[in-house]
Amino acid sequence: MAKEIFMTQWFSDEMLLAGESLIRQLDASDAKVQAAFWLLDAEDKTWKLTIVSPLVESEGPRSYYKRINDINESARPDEKVIALHDISVSDTNNRIVKAIKRSVLGDDAMLGNNRLGRNTLGGVYIEDMYLYRMDWVLLGNNVPSATTKNAAPPLSP
């Protein structure tokens, strides 16, 4: 069985790579990942990987967690995986996604594969965050069209 990564209050390369791998596999299974990011809880100092997909609303969170669990169970013994208790799934009404959408202005918004932290975005304080991607086209049209070109591309296999 694959090895679960150990979470600390510090963001690690191991967490970054395990998240990339999971997102890539979710993409391959047509899981409709529209946003994905690690978020540090300011009080608990714990990290959660958040996956945002419309399938969470249409199929239910339990079904989406099962999809992730199936990916984890199929991992090679030498692969690192993220335990389900360190993952949060959300529909597209996620408060962090909405906050980032409210804060995006103009062509200089570089969103995707970025570390954001100690910042207030759209009225929400972000202690620390690693953003893999936001698919502005799929998340809706309330974002200036110039930022669409800055959305992070899908992770390559």
Side-chain angles (χ1 to χ4, degrees):
M1 182 171 177
K3 300 174 188 170
E4 288 183 0
I5 60 174
F6 177 70
M7 296 296 164
T8 67
Q9 71 183 51
W10 296 279
F11 189 72
S12 69
D13 288 340
E14 203 172 52
M15 292 165 59
L16 178 110
L17 295 173
E20 280 180 354
S21 176
L22 176 60
I23 295 164
R24 191 176 307 109
Q25 292 175 66
L26 285 168
D27 286 342
S29 73
D30 196 30
K32 300 188 184 344
V33 176
Q34 294 181 356
F37 51 88
W38 282 101
L39 187 66
L40 178 67
D41 182 290
E43 291 179 23
D44 295 337
K45 299 292 184 202
T46 56
W47 287 91
K48 283 254 189 214
L49 175 64
T50 300
I51 307 290
V52 178
S53 171
L55 297 180
V56 173
E57 185 172 351
S58 64
E59 298 177 359
R62 176 174 257 155
S63 175
Y64 208 85
Y65 279 116
K66 182 181 181 328
R67 184 185 295 255
I68 293 169
N69 191 56
D70 291 345
I71 290 170
N72 282 352
E73 287 183 354
S74 69
R76 295 184 318 269
D78 62 327
E79 276 186 277
K80 304 268 175 132
V81 297
I82 304 163
L84 285 181
H85 60 79
D86 293 321
I87 298 173
S88 174
V89 299
S90 175
D91 62 26
T92 56
N93 290 315
N94 179 279
R95 73 179 182 88
I96 300 298
V97 169
K98 285 182 173 184
I100 292 172
K101 282 174 69 172
R102 283 192 302 269
S103 69
V104 173
L105 298 172
D107 288 336
D108 295 328
M110 297 301 294
L111 297 175
N113 297 322
N114 279 316
R115 188 94 181 250
L116 308 169
R118 296 190 183 212
N119 213 336
T120 300
L121 300 172
V124 176
Y125 178 72
I126 307 289
E127 175 71 23
D128 202 354
M129 171 187 210
Y130 183 85
L131 175 66
Y132 288 105
R133 83 164 83 136
M134 291 267 177
D135 188 330
W136 297 119
V137 174
L138 294 175
L139 284 167
N141 58 7
N142 296 332
V143 176
S145 60
T147 60
T148 304
K149 69 180 184 181
N150 291 327
L155 298 170
S156 58

